[in-house]
């Protein structure tokens, strides 16, 4: 489309002015011809000079100016009529410009959203419409009989492009709504997990430390949802600051004991996080975005346990144990879930 296409009113005025100019020349030429013929006719029937002298009458005169006064109302009448095909052509050109703009807008919106709208091809082909509209916009240079057919062609192309634009717009709106729902659900899950972890951490902090044997007895009664795991070697050390897998296990062992869980629960925890991350505090699942030793999703939820959640294995373990306690009760309960469905 032409970016400088004049408005409908401007085009109609321009075309009407062209027609007035053509009609004015025709009317003036016809008037002059009629005036010459009339003058000749009057001259041939006028009395001779002697007869006029005898009668003492003056010779009548004729002027073409008296006829030309009728040209103004004639041309004004012609100029007032704008052909219907011109109006229809102007409206079609304006509609083509509008739908072409809408096509460009929806394509830009799809690209900017970055969403998968379920359409393998998100383009809108407006080439044929723009070419036909350009021809129709130059209708002054076309034979009058061709204008209606080009107008019909442009109208049909407008309907086709408009249908495609509406289809893409609907798909984009649907994808945006789905994304909003997913984000809302993920945020709700994050808030619930953080609340559960905080509640578990508070309960663990206020609970007395039990012996290994008594905690083992209590953990054995967690129910059918828990599962046993091969006994893990009891690590030595357990001081913070060691982010290696063995250092992380030692830290986890101390935290497990602090929660009143026995060695069997520690063994379940070792098996669980061996499967999830290999006890690598920098582990990231590229498909889901889960991060860290406990594979928190998203990783940022571990910030509830400490601002250094990205670089401190102890912070990740603390959050992970709180999450397990709040959701599954014990590490063996979480391990049983993982064994059953593949995740916890």
């Amino acid at each position: 489309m032409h970016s400088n296409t004049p408005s409908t009113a401007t085009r109609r005025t321009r075309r009407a002015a062209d027609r007035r100019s053509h009609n004015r020349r025709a009317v003036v030429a016809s008037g002059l011809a009629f005036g010459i013929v009339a003058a000749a006719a009057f001259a041939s029937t006028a009395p001779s000079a002697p007869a006029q002298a005898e009668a003492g009458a003056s010779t009548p005169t004729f002027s073409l100016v008296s006829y030309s006064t009728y040209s103004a109302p004639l041309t004004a009448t012609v100029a007032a009529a704008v052909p219907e095909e011109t109006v229809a052509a102007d409206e079609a050109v304006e509609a083509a410009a509008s739908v072409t703009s809408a096509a460009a807008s929806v394509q830009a919106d799809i690209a900017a959203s970055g969403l998968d709208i379920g359409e393998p091809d998100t383009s809108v082909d407006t080439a044929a419409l723009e070419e036909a509209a350009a021809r129709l916009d130059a209708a002054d240079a076309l034979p009058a009989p061709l204008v209606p057919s080009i107008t019909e062609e442009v109208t049909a192309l407008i309907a086709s492009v408009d249908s495609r634009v509406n289809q893409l717009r609907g798909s984009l709106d649907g994808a945006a709504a789905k994304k909003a729902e997913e984000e809302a659900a993920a945020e709700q899950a994050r808030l619930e997990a953080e609340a559960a972890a905080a509640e578990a951490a508070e309960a663990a902090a206020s609970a007395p430390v039990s012996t290994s044997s008594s905690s083992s007895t209590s953990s054995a009664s967690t129910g059918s949802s828990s599962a046993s795991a091969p006994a893990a070697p009891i690590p030595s050390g357990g001081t913070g600051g060691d982010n290696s897998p063995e250092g992380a296990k030692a830290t986890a062992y101390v935290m497990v004991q602090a929660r009143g869980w026995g060695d069997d629960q520690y063994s379940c925890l070792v098996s669980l996080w061996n499967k999830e991350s290999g006890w690598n505090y920098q582990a990231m699942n590229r498909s889901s975005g889960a991060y860290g030793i406990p594979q928190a999703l998203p990783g940022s939820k571990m910030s509830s346990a400490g601002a250094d959640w990205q670089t401190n294995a102890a912070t990740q373990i603390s959050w992970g144990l709180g999450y397990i306690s709040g959701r599954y009760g014990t590490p063996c309960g979480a391990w049983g879930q993982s064994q059953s469905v593949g995740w916890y």
Side-chain angles (χ1 to χ4, degrees):
M1 297 296 295
H2 299 299
S3 60
N4 59 347
T5 301
S7 65
T8 300
T10 302
R11 267 197 307 276
R12 291 176 184 171
T13 301
R14 183 189 64 199
R15 291 174 181 169
D18 290 342
R19 288 180 173 80
R20 285 197 299 271
S21 177
H22 292 296
N23 291 331
R24 186 179 294 110
R25 289 195 292 269
V27 170
V28 171
S30 299
L32 290 173
F34 180 79
I36 293 172
V37 171
F42 280 118
S44 63
T45 58
S48 62
Q52 292 176 358
E54 292 176 359
S58 62
T59 302
T61 59
F62 299 93
S63 173
L64 295 180
V65 176
S66 61
Y67 179 79
S68 64
T69 58
Y70 293 94
S71 63
L74 286 175
T75 56
T77 302
V78 174
V82 178
E84 292 183 3
E85 60 268 20
T86 299
V87 175
D90 291 341
E91 292 175 348
V93 170
E94 291 294 325
S98 177
V99 78
T100 300
S101 176
S105 177
V106 74
Q107 291 176 97
D109 290 347
I110 291 172
S113 71
L115 296 174
D116 178 7
I117 67 169
E119 297 273 353
D121 179 16
T122 59
S123 64
V124 183
D125 186 2
T126 60
L129 174 60
E130 293 184 55
E131 187 275 333
R135 284 189 285 116
L136 185 59
D137 194 34
D140 287 341
L142 296 175
L146 294 180
V147 174
S149 62
I150 300 177
T151 301
E152 292 177 1
E153 177 186 358
V154 170
T155 302
L157 289 170
I158 288 172
S160 176
V161 172
D162 186 57
S163 175
R164 176 61 173 161
V165 169
N166 289 334
Q167 176 186 352
L168 291 178
R169 181 63 69 183
S171 298
L172 176 59
D173 291 345
K178 180 180 178 182
K179 180 183 178 183
E181 291 176 359
E182 292 174 347
E183 289 178 344
E187 178 65 12
Q188 181 63 27
R190 182 186 71 81
L191 294 175
E192 291 176 356
E194 288 182 355
E199 181 179 353
E202 182 179 353
S206 60
V209 177
S210 304
T211 63
S212 174
S213 58
S214 63
S215 62
S216 298
T217 302
S218 64
S219 65
S221 61
T222 55
S224 59
S225 61
S226 64
S228 62
I234 304 303
S236 60
T239 58
D242 185 355
N243 285 338
S244 68
E246 292 306 316
K249 290 177 184 177
T251 300
Y253 183 75
V254 173
M255 292 185 181
V256 166
Q257 294 294 307
R259 284 179 175 269
W261 294 331
D263 292 348
D264 59 335
Q265 297 297 329
Y266 172 72
S267 296
C268 287
L269 183 67
V270 170
S271 296
L272 176 64
W273 285 350
N274 274 344
K275 176 184 175 182
E276 291 292 327
S277 63
W279 289 81
N280 178 2
Y281 77 100
Q282 293 179 316
M284 174 178 283
N285 187 317
R286 294 187 179 277
S287 61
S288 68
Y291 185 82
I293 293 173
Q295 288 291 279
L297 180 63
S300 60
K301 64 172 59 176
M302 292 187 290
S303 63
S304 62
D308 58 350
W309 61 270
Q310 291 178 294
T311 58
N312 193 333
T315 299
Q316 296 181 3
I317 293 167
S318 176
W319 179 89
L321 292 177
Y323 170 77
I324 289 171
S325 175
R327 194 171 184 91
Y328 301 104
T330 63
C332 287
W335 174 239
Q337 166 76 5
S338 179
Q339 290 288 87
S340 175
V341 299
W343 53 270
Y344 81 107

